[in-house]
Amino acid sequence: MLTDSEVERLRQAIIAAIASPVIGSIEDYTWEAMFHYVKNISLSDPALGRSKLLYDAVDPSTKTGWSLKSLQLKGKSHLEITTTYFYVIQRADVIKKAIDLGFPDLDETSPPEKLGAAIIKHWNQKVEKDSLKQKVEISYEGILLKNIQGTEYVYCEYSIECLDASAFSWSWTVNQKTGTKGVGLQGSIDGKAQLIWYKNQKQLFRARTIPSDAVHIRVERNRLTLERYVEIVVSALRSQINN
């Protein structure tokens, strides 16, 4: 989790990000860049290309990596401790990669447990291969939750680990209107949904709960005018280039 000084850097980064009139909300690369500032690690220019590797930020000195996500939740109560939310952790086209995963006859009509086993293996391979490629030994998910107004933020951190396929039970969700089988394959532990794989988008969602040590930050949403923003940035660039 973040140190006290990192929490303050996160607060300042949020204030700076939402002050920009060219940024509507903190998401994607904006969050990644902010996190590099919080951790004081080197940030590469996205114009040089971005990878699809698991870790969006890596501290080579500690061999720690973070997979970073930002997510907007509706309602203030949804940012409270013990709230459970789902978010995408991976694009998992296990049907297309069936042979490579060791399930050559796998298709959408395969038994749920077989599809679930392929999904777990797909995720575990991602963790193992990218950890090795990115030289990461300690790995986390760094999730920035926010409200729609952009005034409330919660930082949550979870360990990334390979999953135990035997711990999950799998079943298709049920369409509440028609009572027919839905498009989501749900992986549960002790009766609680932990993973949902959607066969149409081939996306894997994971359930997480806001922990007691999550960092809560509230800020006022003050934004620079376009004229002032451009003036400040151009002036700062000139000063940096000259130095």
Side-chain angles (χ1 to χ4, degrees), residues 32-165:
E32 294 175 22
M34 290 169 56
F35 190 83
H36 281 73
Y37 170 77
V38 170
K39 288 292 182 178
N40 195 26
I41 52 181
S42 178
L43 175 68
S44 61
D45 187 338
L48 301 177
R50 298 180 66 192
S51 74
K52 294 183 179 181
L53 297 175
L54 179 60
Y55 303 105
D56 302 298
V58 176
D59 184 346
S61 65
T62 61
K63 296 184 178 180
T64 303
W66 293 266
S67 176
L68 301 171
K69 300 285 190 302
S70 63
L71 185 67
Q72 180 175 291
L73 300 183
K74 296 180 180 179
K76 183 177 180 180
S77 62
H78 290 174
L79 294 176
E80 295 177 351
I81 293 173
T82 73
T83 295
T84 298
Y85 59 95
F86 285 84
Y87 62 98
V88 178
I89 61 171
Q90 186 183 34
R91 177 171 172 77
D93 193 347
V94 296
I95 305 301
K96 183 178 180 180
K97 299 179 180 179
I99 295 177
D100 293 337
L101 292 170
F103 300 85
D105 58 345
L106 190 73
D107 60 33
E108 292 180 358
T109 65
S110 296
E113 294 296 336
K114 188 172 184 178
L115 283 165
I119 291 167
I120 296 296
K121 187 171 183 179
H122 189 275
W123 167 254
N124 288 348
Q125 284 186 351
K126 180 70 172 176
V127 173
E128 293 169 351
K129 290 180 179 180
D130 286 6
S131 294
L132 184 62
K133 188 170 185 177
Q134 295 182 270
K135 299 179 181 179
V136 168
E137 296 181 359
I138 306 170
S139 54
Y140 299 101
E141 289 173 313
I143 313 296
L144 185 69
L145 304 175
K146 57 194 175 181
N147 64 358
I148 191 170
Q149 293 82 10
T151 56
E152 300 273 354
Y153 297 86
V154 178
Y155 175 74
C156 305
E157 193 168 274
Y158 313 94
S159 295
I160 291 179
E161 70 288 329
C162 288
L163 301 175
D164 180 4

Side-chain angles (χ1 to χ4, degrees), residues 179-191:
T180 59
K181 183 177 68 176
V183 297
L185 182 64
Q186 185 171 285
S188 301
I189 297 178
D190 296 330

Side-chain angles (χ1 to χ4, degrees), residues 212-223:
S212 59
D213 62 350
V215 175
H216 291 250
I217 295 176
R218 180 180 175 82
V219 299
E220 292 186 7
R221 190 173 172 85
N222 297 312
R223 291 166 69 79

